[in-house]
Every structure is written in C-alpha cells, then in structure tokens.
Amino acid sequence: MFSSFRQTMAWLHTWFGLILGFVLMVAFFFGTLSVFDREIDRWAIPETRFEPQTMPSFDHILLPVLRQVEPDQKEYERQMPWLHDFGQGPMTPRLELPVDEYWAYTTHRDPVLVMGVGFGVPHPRDPAAHNHIHGDVTIDPRSGVLVPDDALKIGSRWFYPMHYSLNWTWKYLGYWIVGLAGFFMLVALVTGVIIHRKLFREFFTFRPGHQILRSTLDLHNLTGVVALPFHFFFAFTGLLIFAGWLYFPVGNTLLKPLHDLEHQREALEIGLPYERSGHPAPLASVDAMMAEAQRRWDARGMPGDVGFLVVRHVGDVNGYVSLYRAGSDRVALVGEGIHFKASTGEVLREDPPRTVVSEIHDFLVGLHLQHFEHWFLRWLYVLGGLLGCTCIATGFVFFVEKRKRKHAEAGGQGSRLVDALAVTTVTGMVIAAIGMLVVNRILPSDLIGKGDWEKGRLGTYPAACPVAQCPGNGGTDQSCLEGTVSGDRGTGGGCSAAELGYHRRPSAQDRAH
Amino acid sequence: MVDAAAIYLMGATLAALLGFAWLALAMEVHWRQVFGRVGPSPGTRSALRLLGGASLLGSLGLCLLADHASMAALVWFMLLALAGVCVALLLAWRSAWLRRLWPG
C-alpha cells in the first residue's frame, strides 16, 4: 500500500492524529486547567476564598458535623434497591441506615474540607461487596460550618473530570474514549518522531516568515519535540492510572476470587479487622492519634500533615482509624499510613516500606496527579499542557492547509469539515470554559441548582463560536481557524470567520500563494 | 530554606536557557541567524557544545539542590521544554539578543 515505512507511519500519524486529536485537545486543554482546579473552585465559590487549612480537630470540629450527615437521597433511591436483599424484608428507611465509615480529605491547596459518611446496608444482597450509601459534605474547617454543596466546584468537579472522562459517565464511555485517545497519543508521538526527518537539526527551528504550511509544521514539530518527555509520560501515566481498575479490571472479573481472598488474607496478616464484630465500642480521641501519627512521620524524617483520614467500622470493637500523610515534598503520594484501634487509640500497624514496583508505580501516578507542593512545577505543567494544545491545533491547521486548495478545486468538503470541527473544538472549547466562568459570576449565588445551570450552559457556548455561522457549500479557501486565530490575513484584521467570505471561490491570487 | 530553593530554581532556569542557547549557536543555521555570517569554526563549535552541555547539567544539579531527587527530575525536564521553546522563539524574532552569549 505504501512505498516506505515512513509513509506508512505518516498515514497512521495523520489519520489517527486527526480523528483522536479532537478528544486529545479536550484532554489537554482541560488537563491544563486542572493543574489549578482547586484555585478555579475558589473563583466559582467566592465564599471559600481564604487560606488553605490543615486538617482541623476531628473531635471538636469534624465529628459533630459528621454525626449530622444524612445518606444522600438520590444515591439511596438509585443504589439501595440494588444493594438490599428483599428476601430479608423491606428496605431499611434512609434515615435509619447505620453509620459504618467516616472520612475526611484535604490538600495543601484546599481552604475547604470535603468529608463524608459511608452508611451500611443492614441486609445486603452480596455481603462481600462494598455496601455503602454515602453522604458527603463540604465544610469551612475553621468553624465547621457547612458550605453549600450544590455550588458547583467548577475546577475540581467539572473541568477536572472533563479531562479524563469528558463528563460522559454513561457506561464509562468518556473514560474509554479518552483512554483510546491517550493510547493513540503514544502512537502519534512514536510515529511523529519517525516521520520527523530532522529531529535534532531542527530542534530550535521556527520560521514564522515562511509560508503558512512551513511555519505551521515548524510550530507543530517544535511544540511536540521540546516537550516530548512531558507528552509521552502524561499520556502513559494517564493510561496507567485507569489501567488497573477500568481498562484491565482483572481484579474485579477474571481474578475476582483470588483478589477477594487476597484482601481477606491481607486483613488477617496485617491485623486490621476486615469486618464488624457486632460489639459496640466508643471512639477514642482521634486528635491524639493525629498527633501520634505526626510524631512518627517526624521520626522517619518525613514530617507532614494528615491529608486523609478514615474511620472504619464506626462504633464497633473492630473499628480502626487510618491516617495518611498529605502529599507535599515528594512526587509520589507517600501516604505512610498509620492505623489505630478506634476504641483505645493504640497503634495497630504502620504501613511497611513500599516495594520497588510500587515505588515506581507511585512515582508515575504521582507525577500525573500532582499532589505535591511545588508551584513552579505546576506552572511548568501548564506550559507543557499549552504546548500540547498548540501541537494538536497546529496539526489540524496543517491538515487543512495542505488539502484545502485541492479539495476546493475538486469541490470536496473534506477539509472544510475538518476545519469546522477544529474550530468548534479548539476555539469553542476555550469560549465554553470562559463562558462558564463568566456565567458563574453573573448568576446569583443563592440560585437553587446553580451548578446545573452552569453545566447546562457549557454545551451551548460553542454555538457562539463563529463556525456556527459558516453554513453553505462550495469551496473555501480561507480556514475558519485562521479566521479566528489570526484574523488579519487578507481582510484587514480583527473580523470574525463568518465575515471572511465563506462562499468565495479561491481567487487567482490565493492560488498563486 | 524556601528562599534558597527559589534561588536554586531561578539559577536552574537560567542555566537551561543558556545551555540551549549555546547548543543552538553551535549549529550553523542558527549561528548565521544570530551573527549573520558563516560559522562557527570547528573549535568554536566544540566549545559551544561543551559549554551548552555543561550548562544543562548544571541546571540539573541546581534542580537537585532545590528539591527531592524525584521532583528535581520532573522540574528539569519541564525546564528543558521551557528553555527549548524560548530559544526557538528568540531565534525567530529576536535573534540579535543571543549575540551577547558569545564574543564571536
């Protein structure tokens, strides 16, 4: 089919890059925004614009709030009929579900604290499964006052999941699409390096003065090559994060019996109770346990604050409290978990040093998830993300520029279609994200279901994008993207793509260009 | 401590920029862009390469002084990306600025 290996690779790079480039663009753009997801949350919810806080007192601030938390109504209605065994009688009413688990989570960037309660299902269909109905809340850790949870955390609950799931949760379809795109990103990087004839000789090459095809390709190569390690490792580690539980979930399918057995064996071996005993017991001071954990981390030369706290089997003799260190000075999220008996506060176990395999895994996952405290590196990641966006966008421009004249002369619509899709994806997405943040500031903060209003708008923002006004047929010679990004070519600058004469046939001057 | 790390990182950024700039000057096409004449001579080229390579290594060293090794590696690779883009854009639009980096 192709005369050379390089041509084969070029075909692969062009077509898979084109098709999955649209998804990759979304992943890169929202991934870039996600570097500052918590900070965008602050934009969206101005009441929470105060200094990040460390984990507050559990005994005095968290526990009183946790005791008030109710199981989520929607989750109860959706999950309870699945989890409950109707052979043992009717469903336990929502407000009578017993508390089984408390958790709280914070990072060095969070002023507010998310926490929640896992409620047990008294008569579960599958006793071995994770039978929980949840109730989550967000509080101001300084006072324990609830922050309304229906105010959408645009950064961490919308832009961030958009990055890896397109916010398309039905059958995890979005995760799969992004995963596929991530895989082909690796392919695109490898094929890109193969078809790039002068990787080192043109390492610093960008010739903006040359014709558009040349300078676009320069920019595509430049942004791809200088950040090649970034692109490669982020695609790879992104896949790695989801490989274990979504893409290759052998632990829940093929090897499930082994997996469950291992869990029980592990619980026995490490001495942390796997199940409730049925005998009630009080909860000792968790604050004292937090102080002890910090003392032990200090002694190991890894001082730090508590980032994640879980109380399992609440109110039972078997109850225990697990404390994990917040990510800070290491790339890997080094939890260094310490587990205490809930009723007495004695240390049951300290997690052992990690194996080499898990250290490598934690490093790779950690470099993508960025729990660490390093503002400079965060900004460098933003740069890497924007370089990726530029690389993809210039890929689109190159695709269109290379073919548009031929297509126009043949009366084909191919490059027009790609052009339109590229503009809606690239420009539309930027407009949508900005629009969402603007709408967030315009809508009154006490509007009921404000978050849903904001989400609802996201899909309509790209309609404001100029491409929506580019109907019609016939050949086009001026790409939408140029029209919006550099609207100065040939028409005196600054006008929208719609004004750029979409019905114009290629002129003699353009052909000569 | 925080201040020391910030100074090391500034140094690392500067070293990465200088390193890539020197490596670019060692290439004929960029040398011509900057100095407007043929070159560099073989001796100059070796010197520029050596200087560039050493500067990049120095940048890595400063990153290692500033942070835990695992973190430093990430910072360094990202600094290379930053420096690479900066040098390429300087060569494209402000190539004369790089003249000061070599007495040629």
Side-chain angles (χ1 to χ4, degrees), chain A residues 209-511:
Chain A
H210 285 55
Q211 53 155 318
I212 183 107
L213 212 56
R214 184 71 256 169
S215 48
T216 307
L217 189 60
D218 277 349
L219 203 53
H220 184 68
N221 290 343
L222 175 70
T223 52
V225 171
V226 292
L228 195 62
F230 172 85
H231 298 327
F232 186 85
F233 273 98
F234 272 72
F236 174 68
T237 54
L239 286 172
L240 187 72
I241 290 166
F242 288 101
W245 66 272
L246 183 65
Y247 302 144
F248 302 113
V250 286
N252 290 319
T253 51
L254 278 177
L255 305 179
K256 185 165 169 54
L258 189 67
H259 176 261
D260 292 352
L261 198 67
E262 173 68 13
H263 250 269
Q264 281 176 22
R265 190 193 60 78
E266 207 175 75
L268 267 180
E269 190 179 278
I270 65 185
L272 296 179
Y274 189 65
E275 284 174 327
R276 298 179 78 90
S277 71
H279 302 291
L283 179 62
S285 166
V286 176
D287 287 350
M289 301 179 208
M290 293 209 287
E292 174 63 15
Q294 280 175 315
R295 196 190 62 74
R296 288 185 184 226
W297 289 326
D298 252 343
R300 281 186 217 176
M302 315 178 82
D305 291 312
V306 175
F308 183 47
L309 168 164
V310 196
V311 187
R312 295 216 165 81
H313 316 314
V314 173
D316 190 277
V317 172
N318 275 353
Y320 65 93
V321 180
S322 303
L323 300 177
Y324 299 89
R325 193 172 157 271
S328 52
D329 57 337
R330 311 288 160 103
V331 174
L333 177 58
V334 196
E336 303 288 318
I338 301 179
H339 312 272
F340 299 84
K341 193 168 176 62
S343 53
T344 60
E346 67 172 299
V347 174
L348 290 175
R349 171 186 162 81
E350 290 186 46
D351 286 349
R354 295 164 306 146
T355 60
V356 175
V357 173
S358 72
E359 266 188 31
I360 293 171
H361 177 270
D362 289 353
F363 173 77
L364 291 175
V365 169
L367 80 87
H368 198 128
L369 295 180
Q370 310 158 39
H371 293 288
F372 47 73
E373 196 169 346
H374 200 304
W375 293 104
F376 185 49
L377 184 52
R378 267 175 204 283
W379 280 107
L380 288 173
Y381 275 5
V382 169
L383 172 79
L386 292 178
L387 288 175
C389 291
T390 313
C391 188
I392 300 163
T394 47
F396 291 144
V397 176
F398 185 76
F399 182 96
V400 172
E401 288 296 323
K402 198 172 170 185
R403 290 163 179 78
K404 66 177 187 189
R405 195 140 298 132
K406 215 170 71 187
H407 285 187
E409 277 161 9
Q413 297 286 335
S415 53
R416 261 177 75 75
L417 181 71
V418 171
D419 210 356
L421 285 172
V423 179
T424 14
T425 316
V426 182
T427 324
M429 191 167 54
V430 178
I431 294 174
I434 295 171
M436 193 167 180
L437 293 171
V438 171
V439 165
N440 165 277
R441 292 293 81 231
I442 293 172
L443 292 177
S445 64
D446 53 355
L447 179 72
I448 292 170
K450 185 178 177 214
D452 293 330
W453 274 92
E454 288 158 7
K455 287 185 211 169
R457 295 282 79 77
L458 189 77
T460 58
Y461 301 123
C465 174
V467 76
Q469 306 163 25
C470 305
N473 42 37
T476 170
D477 63 317
Q478 191 71 303
S479 87
C480 273
L481 202 57
E482 281 168 62
T484 24
V485 175
S486 59
D488 56 348
R489 284 192 69 219
T491 45
C495 55
S496 85
E499 297 165 73
L500 280 174
Y502 265 82
H503 305 280
R504 210 147 57 84
R505 291 264 166 201
S507 64
Q509 184 202 350
D510 283 329
R511 281 203 198 98

Side-chain angles (χ1 to χ4, degrees), chain A residues 36-158:
Chain A
F36 291 118
D37 60 344
R38 313 278 160 154
E39 288 71 20
I40 295 172
D41 289 350
R42 304 288 81 76
W43 164 279
I45 313 170
E47 307 87 78
T48 61
R49 289 180 197 166
F50 50 90
E51 286 297 300
Q53 307 289 317
T54 50
M55 188 70 82
S57 158
F58 183 88
D59 301 345
H60 299 114
I61 292 187
L62 303 192
L63 192 57
V65 182
L66 286 166
R67 289 208 168 111
Q68 309 289 320
V69 175
E70 293 176 2
D72 183 64
Q73 175 100 37
K74 281 186 194 153
E75 189 179 332
Y76 178 82
E77 284 163 11
R78 196 176 59 236
Q79 293 291 336
M80 194 63 183
W82 289 97
L83 299 177
H84 178 74
D85 178 13
F86 285 94
Q88 297 185 50
M91 294 197 304
T92 316
R94 183 173 68 94
L95 297 178
E96 288 172 26
L97 291 176
V99 171
D100 187 48
E101 185 178 284
Y102 292 141
W103 63 269
Y105 176 72
T106 190
T107 74
H108 68 275
R109 292 160 56 218
D110 278 310
V112 291
L113 180 85
V114 248
M115 58 184 199
V117 180
F119 294 90
V121 176
H123 304 293
R125 192 176 295 203
D126 173 10
H130 176 78
N131 293 293
H132 274 171
I133 304 285
H134 302 89
D136 298 345
V137 290
T138 306
I139 63 162
D140 179 341
R142 299 170 304 179
S143 58
V145 176
L146 289 180
V147 178
D149 212 30
D150 73 330
L152 180 66
K153 293 175 181 133
I154 290 182
S156 58
R157 300 263 173 96
W158 190 253

